[in-house]
Amino acid sequence: MKSASEQSPPPGIRARLHEIIFESETPAGKAFDVALLWAIVLSVLAVMLESVGPIRARYGPVIRTAEWIFTILFTLEYVLRLFSVSRPLLYARSFFGLVDLLAVLPTYVSLSMPGVQSLLVVRVLRLLRVFRVLKLVNFLGEAEVLLTALRASRPKITVFLGAVLSTVVIMGSVMYMVEGEANGFDSIPRGMYWAIVTMTTVGFGDITPKTVPGQFIASLLMIMGYGVIAVPTGIVSVELAAASRPGLNPEACPGCGAEGHDVNAVYCKLCGTRL
């Protein structure tokens, strides 16, 4: 039977890697994060350039080689992140853990499904780490407040969208009867499409009412459109005011790598590891 030291990595090495990879307070940690951000930017730029025909025709092999180099580096980084936390499965299921995994999968999948590598632009999500590198952790706190407000607003917004959808169905049906096929309203779904475009004040103009009753209905729907914009804004604003909370601790959990803990937190809110 293997000894405990053979079954798991030495705590000293794991702690040192965690400090470098997940923290940005030390020179080594900050250098790692800055290098990682530059690698993310360059890898996304390579994916974007490959989508340009003339550039792909001239520099295609060079760009694909660069993509593979970045993918190998990010794969190594992902493995080291799992290695440096005491609960790797929790980190793997976290938001950044899933983003880190999706940042490397498309390249490997493209071996059997060409073209999938275009999905590598998901790596741009990894730039969210810049908030921690630049000590802008309060922005992460504000983002969490926004998410809390959106979750609290979900029931009200769901009811509101149901009412809007009912209005769209009714108005689309009415315009189908009033205007008819001669004026472009050749079906109820087409009338619903017109109602959505009108209520959102987009106004493509590809379908317009020609009769006086139809124009009167369109005028009412345009006025209702201002309410469609204002109501969800008011709902979210109220929930934002109610979701205010204290600042957050910039420290990453040594167990699962989670961030965004309360300033007075002693244990991780996800895995229970002592901070």
Side-chain angles (χ1 to χ4, degrees):
M1 180 181 293
K2 292 183 177 180
S3 64
S5 61
E6 292 174 324
Q7 293 176 15
S8 59
I13 295 178
R14 174 176 284 177
R16 178 57 178 165
L17 282 174
H18 183 275
E19 181 180 322
I20 294 174
I21 296 175
F22 284 97
E23 305 293 346
S24 59
E25 301 300 322
T26 63
K30 182 138 189 199
F32 176 85
D33 284 336
V34 171
L36 176 62
L37 293 177
W38 274 110
I40 294 170
V41 171
L42 293 176
S43 66
V44 172
L45 181 61
V47 175
M48 296 172 62
L49 290 177
E50 191 183 17
S51 67
V52 181
I55 296 179
R56 182 175 62 249
R58 186 170 182 178
Y59 302 105
V62 176
I63 294 176
R64 282 188 288 274
T65 300
E67 288 179 359
W68 272 106
I69 292 175
F70 285 124
T71 297
I72 293 172
L73 290 176
F74 291 147
T75 302
L76 177 61
E77 179 224 347
Y78 179 69
V79 172
L80 290 176
R81 285 184 182 275
L82 295 177
F83 175 82
S84 63
V85 294
S86 57
R87 300 189 180 185
L89 288 180
L90 282 179
Y91 174 74
R93 292 197 298 264
S94 67
F95 171 76
F96 277 115
L98 293 174
V99 170
D100 292 343
L101 179 61
L102 291 175
V104 299
L105 278 183
T107 302
Y108 297 116
V109 176
S110 67
L111 294 175
S112 58
M113 299 176 61
V116 178
Q117 66 270 20
S118 297
L119 297 177
L120 288 174
V121 291
V122 73
R123 289 173 179 170
V124 74
L125 291 176
R126 308 191 73 205
L127 291 176
L128 292 175
R129 299 182 189 275
V130 73
F131 291 111
R132 178 167 54 83
V133 177
L134 299 180
K135 303 183 186 303
L136 301 178
V137 70
N138 287 334
F139 284 84
L140 294 177
E142 296 303 323
E144 186 166 339
V145 170
L146 179 58
L147 289 175
T148 301
L150 291 176
R151 283 194 292 265
S153 305
R154 183 169 54 188
K156 301 181 184 68
I157 292 180
T158 300
V159 173
F160 172 74
L161 291 179
V164 172
L165 181 61
S166 299
T167 303
V168 166
V169 173
I170 294 172
M171 288 299 185
S173 302
V174 170
M175 292 300 289
Y176 170 68
M177 291 186 296
V178 172
E179 292 292 325
E181 297 184 10
N183 294 324
F185 294 82
D186 52 5
S187 66
I188 292 179
R190 182 62 64 86
M192 292 172 58
Y193 159 77
W194 169 85
I196 293 173
V197 170
T198 303
M199 287 189 70
T200 55
T201 68
V202 175
F204 288 137
D206 51 345
I207 305 176
T208 55
K210 302 297 190 299
T211 65
V212 174
Q215 292 172 348
F216 177 74
I217 294 173
S219 300
L220 294 178
L221 207 57
M222 292 174 195
I223 295 175
M224 289 177 59
Y226 291 105
V228 170
I229 297 174
V231 171
T233 303
I235 293 174
V236 176
S237 298
V238 171
E239 296 298 340
L240 273 174
S244 299
R245 53 175 299 175
L248 298 179
N249 183 353
E251 182 180 358
C253 171
C256 64
E259 300 176 357
H261 302 285
D262 294 338
V263 290
N264 58 349
V266 178
Y267 299 95
C268 176
K269 58 186 176 183
L270 296 181
C271 68
T273 303
R274 187 177 182 85
L275 299 175

